[in-house]
C-alpha cells in the first residue's frame, strides 16, 4: 500500500467519524478508537522514513485533522466553536466538498 492508497482508503472514514462526533452521534471514545486505528494502519504503509511532507493539500488536512483529535481535549473538541468549525471544514475537504482550510498544515507521522 502506498501513501496515496492509504489516504484514498481512510480519508472518508475519518471525515465520517468526525462528523458523527460533531453531531453527537458517537462519543469521544469512539472518535479516539478510530484515530488510533488509523495510526496503527499507517505503520503498514511503505514509505521513506525521512519523507514527512504530505503530497497534497488534502493529505495535509488529513494529518492535521488526525493530530487535532489527539491535541485537543474531549471538552475542547465538543464545545469550542472555532475548533468545531475547523473540524467540519477539514472533514468537508477530505470528502471533496470544499478547499483545504487555511492554517491546516499536517505532516506524516
Amino acid at each position: 500500500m502506498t501513501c496515496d492508497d492509504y489516504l484514498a482508503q481512510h480519508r472518508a472514514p475519518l471525515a465520517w467519524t468526525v462528523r458523527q462526533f460533531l453531531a453527537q452521534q458517537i462519543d469521544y471514545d469512539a472518535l479516539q478508537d478510530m484515530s488510533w486505528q488509523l495510526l496503527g494502519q499507517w505503520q503498514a504503509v511503505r514509505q521513506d522514513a525521512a519523507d514527512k511532507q504530505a503530497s497534497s493539500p488534502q493529505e495535509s488536512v488529513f494529518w492535521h485533522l488526525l493530530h487535532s483529535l489527539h491535541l485537543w481535549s474531549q471538552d475542547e473538541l465538543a464545545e469550542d466553536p472555532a475548533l468545531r468549525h475547523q473540524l467540519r471544514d477539514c472533514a468537508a475537504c477530505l470528502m471533496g466538498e470544499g478547499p483545504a482550510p487555511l492554517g491546516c498544515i499536517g505532516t506524516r507521522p
Side-chain angles (χ1 to χ4, degrees):
M1 177 180 286
T2 67
C3 295
D4 289 338
D5 294 335
Y6 175 88
L7 183 65
Q9 182 178 353
H10 296 294
R11 65 183 172 82
L14 176 59
W16 181 85
T17 302
V18 168
R19 286 177 168 174
Q20 294 296 305
F21 174 77
L22 293 173
Q24 299 178 338
Q25 295 176 344
I26 64 169
D27 64 13
Y28 179 76
D29 290 337
L31 180 69
Q32 289 297 300
D33 286 347
M34 165 57 123
S35 66
W36 283 112
Q37 287 175 23
L38 290 175
L39 288 170
Q41 292 168 1
W42 174 249
Q43 299 304 312
V45 175
R46 286 174 278 136
Q47 58 187 314
D48 178 356
D51 186 11
K52 299 290 185 187
Q53 190 65 32
S55 64
S56 69
Q58 196 173 51
E59 183 184 359
S60 185
V61 169
F62 178 90
W63 294 119
H64 176 89
L65 180 57
L66 197 56
H67 176 73
S68 294
L69 300 180
H70 293 273
L71 176 65
W72 302 105
S73 71
Q74 178 177 352
D75 291 339
E76 290 168 313
L77 291 170
E79 298 171 9
D80 184 286
L83 179 56
R84 291 174 60 80
H85 181 71
Q86 183 182 79
L87 296 175
R88 275 192 296 276
D89 287 351
C90 287
C93 174
L94 293 180
M95 296 301 292
E97 299 167 354
L102 296 175
C104 292
I105 302 169
T107 58
R108 296 173 182 167

